[in-house]
Amino acid sequence: MPSEVFFGRGVIKQNASKLTGYRNVFIVTGKKSAKKSGALTAFLEVIGGANFQIYDNIQENPLLSVCHEAGKLAYDFEADVIVGIGGGSPIDAAKAIALFAANPEMLPDDLYKPPFENDPLPIIAIPTTAGTGSEANAYSVMTLDGKNIKKTYTNEKSYPKMSFVDPTFTESLPIEVTISTALDALAHCTESLLTKNSTTISEHFAAEGISVIFPRLAQIAGSDENISEEARDDLSLGALYGGIAINTTGTCFPHPMGYNLTLNHGLPHGKACAIFQRELIYIHEVYREKHPSDRKLANNLDLLFRSYGVPMSEALDVIDYLADYNEKFSDDLIRLYVERIKEVKSFASSFCEISEEDIFDIYKHVVGFANRTK
Ligand code: NAP
Ligand code: FE
């Protein structure tokens, strides 16, 4: 991972010298959180006399067209760096904007048509949620205009050049966003361990991520909503670990399956991934029974279970309780959702490949009218 990642309280001030020397700084944020979290002020305090322009129009699940538009503004501003301050939405947006700003002739859809004439501008990431891990990978999840589809752009030059992960900035998060973003980070770690392209290093980060995030979520589920500094530190660190893990492996089916629930039913991204975790574990346990010679899966499942530190059934109850989603959909709607995501490559990355029919069945068990007979 070619990013320089600084972690801890006060890291921006402590590394101020890294942030001087830019001429025109283009800052990408959502409406409120960059200011509310204190991250924007902390950043502006250290950039010396640089010119800056703030683009604060990034909404949750950022639209490709909005990032394209922002790219033009950054080009006109002659930006020499793009800074994403906020949750995964502004940071992912910053990655796309950095490419558009360097290639003003590009149309929005060209984001998915490499090679590109010019490399993206350098990106700096300052997360204010503890969830996506976007600060540690090159993924940028865009929502395609008018299509209700999310599509990931990734480019080996789209890693943040530097990331400043200061858990202080997550203290202003409402409890519901804290929960959802932590569930996202936990999903990254769990899903990463169940991809066949995991490595010893990605497995280590995924397992560590689970072991720091899950106990904090269990505390919250046990109605301890006063989140301590230590808990915030753990959640930010776990999210960073999850981002590093999926940088190697990508995610499994809960991510694309969740996109339909986020875009069509407003379920926040982390919760939308969380509701599929029970199926993810179930399917891999069944697969392990059928393929006892697959040592890698057996080892990864064992590591995963150990990392949770409680019986998996208990952990899944906590996850379902926090995700708190009970809507049910008709078979026809589910078929439409399967159609929208069936080409996404996360379905091929898990140990057991997931067919179109499997996707339909999983939806039926989670948000349809079928029960899993175990
Ligand atoms: P988000 O969409 O960036 O933000 C969610 C909400 O939280 C927004 O209303 C935001 O407000 C608010 N918020 C953020 N930080 C806050 C703070 N410190 N205090 C108070 N409010 C705060 O949430 P996210 O879950 O971090 O990002 C989700 C996006 O990332 C999705 O598009 C998802 O697909 C993508 N994603 C990317 C990756 C990756 O690897 N790159 C992985 C998973 C998911 P403002 O609007 O005011 O900012
Ligand atoms: Fe995610």
Side-chain angles (χ1 to χ4, degrees):
M1 181 186 70
S3 305
E4 205 173 356
V5 181
F6 302 94
F7 180 88
R9 290 170 182 261
V11 276
I12 292 185
K13 203 168 186 179
Q14 288 152 21
N15 295 283
S17 61
K18 298 260 177 195
L19 290 166
T20 51
Y22 292 107
R23 273 183 309 112
N24 296 326
V25 181
F26 192 81
I27 303 172
V28 178
T29 72
K31 267 286 161 272
K32 293 195 198 129
S33 65
K35 289 193 194 95
K36 202 170 158 192
S37 62
L40 180 62
T41 307
F43 177 72
L44 292 178
E45 272 170 9
V46 300
I47 58 168
N51 299 318
F52 65 90
Q53 182 170 321
I54 298 175
Y55 182 83
D56 67 356
N57 198 27
I58 301 299
Q59 299 193 334
E60 293 180 40
N61 312 300
L63 279 174
L64 179 56
S65 59
V66 170
C67 295
H68 182 251
E69 200 53 46
K72 281 195 205 148
L73 296 176
Y75 173 77
D76 291 342
F77 180 60
E78 297 182 16
D80 53 355
V81 65
I82 307 290
V83 183
I85 304 182
S89 297
I91 295 176
D92 283 8
K95 294 175 186 173
I97 292 167
L99 184 67
F100 287 131
N103 296 279
E105 305 301 322
M106 276 177 72
L107 297 172
D109 282 349
D110 293 340
L111 189 69
Y112 302 104
K113 296 175 190 158
F116 308 109
E117 198 172 325
N118 301 313
D119 288 346
L121 298 181
I123 299 150
I124 293 175
I126 306 178
T128 63
T129 60
T132 68
S134 185
E135 65 273 16
N137 63 47
Y139 303 127
S140 161
V141 186
M142 296 282 101
T143 302
L144 304 188
D145 297 72
K147 292 197 182 148
N148 273 6
I149 290 176
K150 282 194 178 206
K151 194 166 176 185
T152 301
Y153 148 69
T154 185
N155 174 349
E156 60 180 28
K157 299 278 170 51
S158 288
Y159 287 93
K161 178 177 156 63
M162 290 183 272
S163 292
F164 296 86
V165 186
D166 184 337
T168 321
F169 302 146
T170 65
E171 277 164 8
S172 54
L173 281 172
I175 185 71
E176 274 307 307
V177 187
T178 301
I179 290 172
S180 182
T181 47
L183 286 169
D184 183 27
L186 188 66
H188 294 157
C189 297
T190 304
E191 291 173 37
S192 181
L193 275 171
L194 296 177
T195 59
K196 56 192 174 206
N197 42 346
S198 72
T199 63
T200 307
I201 294 171
S202 73
E203 289 156 13
H204 172 80
F205 279 103
E208 273 300 304
I210 292 171
S211 68
V212 291
I213 297 165
F214 180 72
R216 298 307 188 178
L217 276 174
Q219 277 171 352
I220 294 172
S223 69
D224 182 2
E225 294 189 0
N226 288 323
I227 303 173
S228 64
E229 280 193 7
E230 292 73 23
R232 290 279 180 205
D233 290 355
D234 280 350
L235 293 174
S236 289
L237 192 62
L240 174 60
Y241 287 173
I244 294 171
I246 60 169
N247 180 49
T248 300
T249 62
T251 54
C252 292
F253 66 76
H255 262 73
M257 293 189 72
Y259 291 163
N260 278 314
L261 291 152
T262 299
L263 295 180
N264 300 290
H265 304 276
L267 186 62
H269 171 68
K271 291 190 172 191
C273 299
I275 62 174
F276 295 100
Q277 299 295 311
R278 189 180 289 278
E279 282 286 308
L280 179 72
I281 300 292
Y282 172 75
I283 286 170
H284 280 87
E285 281 190 295
V286 170
Y287 186 86
R288 169 160 75 169
E289 272 167 36
K290 288 191 185 146
H291 300 85
S293 60
D294 189 336
R295 292 313 308 154
K296 180 167 178 175
L297 172 61
N299 290 340
N300 280 14
L301 264 182
D302 286 343
L303 177 60
L304 193 148
F305 294 157
R306 275 201 309 282
S307 305
Y308 271 91
V310 297
M312 201 60 218
S313 60
E314 212 177 286
L316 289 166
D317 286 347
V318 169
I319 292 169
D320 282 341
Y321 171 77
L322 291 172
D324 189 25
Y325 192 70
N326 299 303
E327 298 298 311
K328 298 285 176 213
F329 308 128
S330 69
D331 284 8
D332 284 350
L333 190 57
I334 290 176
R335 276 210 178 82
L336 176 72
Y337 290 166
V338 174
E339 210 43 48
R340 285 184 182 163
I341 57 165
K342 64 183 187 190
E343 308 294 346
V344 176
K345 74 174 194 279
S346 306
F347 292 111
S349 66
S350 73
F351 280 90
C352 34
E353 289 192 16
I354 306 293
S355 69
E356 192 174 329
E357 224 21 59
D358 294 330
I359 305 174
F360 181 75
D361 283 347
I362 295 167
Y363 268 131
K364 288 243 327 179
H365 288 123
V366 178
V367 289
F369 293 97
N371 288 320
R372 182 64 83 194
T373 42
K374 292 188 184 169

